[in-house]
Amino acid sequence: MKTLGKIALAVLGLLMAAVWLVILRLKDVPPVALVTYGAVLVAFLGGVLWPGRLGRRRALLFLGVPAGLGTLALYFAVVFYVTDAPVLLGAVAVACLLAALAGGVRRGRGGAGPSRRALLTGGAGILLGALAGLSTGPVARHRSEIEARWRRETQAALRAPGGRRPVADGRVRVFPLHVGDTVVPYGQFYGGLDGWEGLPGYVRTLVDKAQITVPVHAYLIDHPRHGLMLVDTGVNGAQAHDHDGYYRHNLASRLLTERNEYRLTPEQDLRVRVARLGYDLKDVTTVFLTHVHEDHAGGLRHLAHARVVLDRRDWEQGTLYAHTFEEVQDALVFPAYGSGPFHAFPESHDHFGDGSVVLLPTPGHSPGHLCVALRMDGGTALFLGDTLYTLPHLAVGQVRQMTVGGQATADQLKAAERVRRTLAADPAMAPLFAHDNTAYQTEAVATAFREGLPEADGFRRLRDHLGGVLTPDWRLRPGHAPAFAPGEGVGRVEFR
């Protein structure tokens, strides 16, 4: 039994070490340092459980001390953030007080008073507890300074010349909004057919450093009857510039994401993007959230006044960071999908009851992912969210993003097929993506929606572009297959 207990402890210790090493790799610790440090951890674990001739005391001294110092050094070098200070000081304070109490109890049983060691340990606990309390103020001020600096930068961007005035002529307008960028592994974006699926795929997202930068797009809708609306909201300044502080509510999320996963310039801030088009974010009445992932929901902190429409399954099963929704959780609206079929979709939700905005269930990427079909003069805009990342992803047999695995992957592929059949059935319908990094977004969509009015000619040109990339049976034409091109730090995508 003793041997089995040691084996169990060894397995548990190795698992914890592996998780810690993955976190450190995610934080860009060099592989050589990780291998050296990992070897010390394994040797220390073996030396404590099976000391042999070395002896447990020597194992603690010659292996435990380097392992402990290395852990502290790596933590403070790549994981520590100022918001950790009160928590760490408080934890050490509690440990000291408990040690002092235990020492005092042992002495008391022998009829003696507390030892000098217990008094010193208890005093250290009280001092550290006081420091933990005092540190909360500077930490709060530090985060406030970050927020104030971002506010000043966005205000300067708002005042910059070159803004436009909205046109009220009774027509539906759509404006693509580039509201940040996200840094992702190339395989997460394009490697769904190369093993990036399910849990193994997620692990690879943590350790794979072949990364690319992809855009985050939201869409502003100016509707003459239903007012100002948004499809998704992008990221916010705190996510990009105060990453660790923003995720203070969820330590696991902070540890398992990269500090630079989001990038946002003042000009890309949702409030600035909307204002530069001549609108005020305060006038947005409805937000259609394709799903609850952070790069689509970050801007909700500026939309407490709006109704937020999302699938109930996503809210109940897919919400990872509930604090992102604190400002809007009392204004959530869940579609019922009781409006009958919509092209290839057996279920739909006619949101306003007039056919102007139809919501389509496309689960898979998240439990309740949805797409939005908007009727415009001359055609229909189909906002795909993350059902498919880019135009080439419509060739799901050749290009596929990472999928969740199991039934979720099957659901996502079914949703993609329904999207393809719907596009085939309506030649005046154009897909609009949340992360397209191809010429379709930067050239075709940007041109067609420059004034918000693609009209029939614009929709036709978008479908012509689609036909130049994909064959009628949804295969990629030559010159449009993605490939990773290494660069200094973050790589890029080439199409061959």
Side-chain angles (χ1 to χ4, degrees):
M1 289 297 294
K2 188 175 181 180
T3 300
L4 289 176
K6 286 186 176 183
I7 293 174
L9 286 174
V11 171
L12 179 62
L14 289 172
L15 286 174
M16 293 176 63
V19 171
W20 176 233
L21 291 172
V22 167
I23 291 172
L24 292 175
R25 180 60 186 140
L26 182 65
K27 302 299 182 181
D28 289 326
V29 174
V32 173
L34 282 182
V35 170
T36 304
Y37 172 64
V40 173
L41 287 181
V42 172
F44 168 62
L45 182 64
V48 169
L49 294 176
W50 292 280
R53 295 183 179 180
L54 180 64
R56 190 164 281 114
R57 181 175 296 181
R58 289 181 179 175
L60 290 170
L61 178 62
F62 294 111
L63 297 173
V65 170
L69 292 176
T71 301
L72 286 174
L74 288 168
Y75 177 83
F76 281 101
V78 298
V79 177
F80 176 79
Y81 184 66
V82 291
T83 55
D84 296 344
V87 177
L88 292 175
L89 289 170
V92 177
V94 170
C96 288
L97 291 173
L98 290 176
L101 180 63
V105 169
R106 285 197 301 269
R107 293 273 294 185
R109 287 175 179 171
S115 67
R116 181 181 297 179
R117 179 181 297 177
L119 290 173
L120 290 174
T121 305
I126 293 172
L127 178 61
L128 289 170
L131 288 175
L134 292 172
S135 67
T136 57
V139 166
R141 285 195 295 274
H142 174 78
R143 297 201 64 230
S144 296
E145 289 170 1
I146 294 174
E147 185 176 351
R149 183 169 62 251
W150 180 251
R151 189 163 51 246
R152 289 194 300 270
E153 292 174 350
T154 54
Q155 287 298 318
L158 283 169
R159 293 191 297 268
R164 59 189 297 170
R165 293 178 181 272
V167 178
D169 58 3
R171 292 191 290 178
V172 181
R173 281 178 163 81
V174 171
F175 297 97
L177 307 175
H178 184 184
V179 282
D181 298 283
T182 180
V183 179
V184 298
Y186 173 83
Q188 178 182 340
F189 206 72
Y190 284 113
L193 294 171
D194 299 319
W196 290 73
E197 182 180 348
L199 182 60
Y202 180 71
V203 172
R204 291 177 73 172
T205 67
L206 300 179
V207 298
D208 194 299
K209 293 301 174 180
Q211 295 177 319
I212 57 173
T213 301
V214 297
V216 178
H217 293 289
Y219 293 88
L220 180 70
I221 302 170
D222 182 1
H223 201 284
R225 293 193 304 278
H226 305 305
L228 209 60
M229 301 178 284
L230 280 167
V231 176
D232 292 334
T233 66
V235 301
N236 62 55
Q239 287 172 284
H241 302 284
D242 184 26
H243 179 274
D244 288 352
Y246 182 80
Y247 291 107
R248 68 195 186 282
H249 301 273
N250 190 327
L251 181 60
S253 297
R254 178 158 68 80
L255 292 177
L256 296 177
T257 55
E258 294 198 44
R259 285 176 172 169
N260 68 341
E261 66 174 328
Y262 297 125
R263 298 177 179 179
L264 185 71
T265 67
E267 292 75 20
Q268 293 172 342
D269 185 273
L270 180 65
R271 296 164 296 179
V272 175
R273 282 291 192 208
V274 171
R276 301 291 288 169
L277 291 169
Y279 300 99
D280 191 329
L281 202 61
K282 295 178 182 178
D283 294 329
V284 171
T285 60
T286 307
V287 177
F288 297 105
L289 203 64
T290 60
H291 61 299
V292 294
H293 291 171
E294 284 291 270
D295 52 329
H296 296 255
L300 290 178
R301 61 163 40 190
H302 308 305
L303 292 155
H305 57 281
R307 296 184 301 275
V308 179
V309 183
L310 75 159
D311 192 296
R312 183 183 294 275
R313 291 168 295 181
D314 242 34
W315 176 245
E316 294 178 349
Q317 304 171 38
T319 305
L320 300 178
Y321 315 113
H323 63 281
T324 299
F325 294 81
E326 288 174 352
E327 299 292 335
V328 300
Q329 59 185 348
D330 294 328
L332 300 180
V333 178
F334 304 115
Y337 299 120
S339 303
F342 181 88
H343 292 298
F345 288 87
E347 297 178 311
S348 68
H349 175 78
D350 185 349
H351 186 72
F352 294 108
D354 58 3
S356 59
V357 177
V358 178
L359 308 183
L360 306 169
T362 52
H365 181 76
S366 66
H369 192 288
L370 61 83
C371 293
V372 182
L374 172 72
R375 190 173 64 202
M376 302 180 69
D377 292 339
T380 299
L382 181 62
F383 304 94
L384 292 178
D386 284 1
T387 303
L388 299 160
Y389 282 158
T390 72
L391 189 67
H393 281 87
L394 281 164
V396 292
Q398 295 171 281
V399 178
R400 190 177 302 173
Q401 63 221 58
M402 189 183 87
T403 55
V404 178
Q407 186 58 46
T409 295
D411 289 342
Q412 189 163 356
L413 294 178
K414 183 184 297 183
E417 179 57 27
R418 286 174 175 167
V419 167
R420 299 197 310 188
R421 287 164 53 199
T422 298
L423 290 170
D426 186 353
M429 178 181 289
L432 296 175
F433 304 90
H435 299 293
D436 195 291
N437 61 342
T438 73
Y440 177 72
Q441 185 79 29
T442 58
E443 298 175 11
V445 172
T447 300
F449 287 90
R450 180 173 290 120
E451 302 299 326
L453 294 166
E455 299 186 321
D457 183 60
F459 279 103
R460 185 166 53 253
R461 282 186 277 112
L462 289 172
R463 291 302 297 260
D464 287 345
H465 188 108
L466 185 155
V469 174
L470 297 154
T471 65
D473 60 346
W474 305 104
R475 299 284 297 175
L476 285 177
R477 297 187 187 277
H480 297 284
F484 178 71
E488 290 191 15
V490 178
R492 67 185 189 280
V493 182
E494 294 180 348
F495 295 92
R496 304 167 182 170

